[in-house]
Amino acid sequence: MSALVRPREGRMIGGVCAGLARRFGTSATTMRVIFVASCLLPGPQFLVYAALWIFLPKEKTSPSMSW
């Protein structure tokens, strides 16, 4: 498992679903479908997503990627 960070590539809104998918070894599309399906249930899904967006660090660029 990789570190829980918001990736620079493959993100749509905040990168939360892409980061969770990378962390747990699934596709970002699967994680997004799970999130949208969970929004049909009562609960604080949007607040959790917003908190993760704020508190998850962005993925650092490697020195070899910088020009």
Side-chain angles (χ1 to χ4, degrees):
M1 288 188 191
S2 62
L4 186 54
V5 295
R6 293 184 298 124
R8 293 193 174 271
E9 295 180 12
R11 54 198 251 179
M12 291 189 107
I13 297 175
V16 174
C17 289
L20 290 172
R22 184 182 291 176
R23 172 73 168 93
F24 293 111
T26 186
S27 73
T29 304
T30 302
M31 195 59 68
R32 290 176 186 125
V33 168
I34 290 170
F35 174 72
V36 169
S38 76
C39 289
L40 300 174
L41 301 170
Q45 292 85 344
F46 292 108
L47 294 176
V48 171
Y49 188 92
L52 287 173
W53 191 351
I54 292 168
F55 293 115
L56 281 182
K58 290 182 184 177
E59 182 178 50
K60 303 225 187 278
T61 59
S62 64
S64 63
M65 292 179 64
S66 62
W67 292 78

